[in-house]
C-alpha cells in the first residue's frame, strides 16, 4: 500500500461517552486538504460503533472533494 494512514484513536460510542471531539477527526480533515490526497479509504470494525463512525466520517468528509470509500467486510456466501 502506497498511501498514508490516519489513526482516529477509537470509535464513536455515546454509551461510553466517546464523541467526535474525543477522536482525531479534525486532524484527519486537515490532512486530507493536501492536493496530493485523492481518496480516503475508511477501514473500521464491522460493529455497531464501527458502522456509526464510518457513517459519521462519510458525512463529515462528503464536501471535501475527495473520493470516499470503505473497505469491504464479511464472507461471501455460496
Amino acid at each position: 500500500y502506497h498511501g498514508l494512514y490516519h489513526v482516529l484513536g477509537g470509535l464513536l460510542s455515546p454509551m461510553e461517552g466517546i464523541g467526535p471531539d474525543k477522536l482525531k477527526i479534525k486532524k484527519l480533515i486537515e490532512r486530507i486538504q493536501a492536493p496530493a490526497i485523492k481518496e480516503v479509504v475508511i477501514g473500521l470494525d464491522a460493529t455497531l460503533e464501527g458502522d456509526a463512525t464510518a457513517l459519521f466520517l462519510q458525512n463529515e468528509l462528503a464536501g471535501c472533494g475527495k473520493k470516499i470509500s470503505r473497505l469491504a467486510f464479511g464472507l461471501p456466501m455460496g
Side-chain angles (χ1 to χ4, degrees), residues 19-77:
D21 56 321
K22 294 195 177 183
L23 302 178
K24 298 175 185 170
I25 295 172
K26 290 180 184 177
K27 182 67 175 169
L28 171 64
I29 293 170
E30 291 172 12
R31 288 183 73 189
I32 66 170
Q33 300 303 318
I37 306 294
K38 305 286 185 226
E39 180 179 10
V40 176
V41 179
I42 300 171
L44 299 172
D45 293 340
T47 61
L48 184 61
E49 291 87 1
D51 289 340
T53 305
L55 182 61
F56 180 82
L57 286 173
Q58 288 173 336
N59 290 334
E60 287 292 309
L61 302 177
C64 71
K66 313 292 181 176
K67 180 178 178 183
I68 309 296
S69 52
R70 186 168 182 199
L71 294 176
F73 53 90
L75 297 172
M77 301 297 277

Side-chain angles (χ1 to χ4, degrees), residues 1-25:
Y1 176 73
H2 300 287
L4 301 172
Y5 289 91
H6 183 84
V7 178
L8 291 175
L11 299 172
L12 295 175
S13 179
M15 297 296 287
E16 296 178 21
I18 302 172
D21 56 321
K22 294 195 177 183
L23 302 178
K24 298 175 185 170
I25 295 172

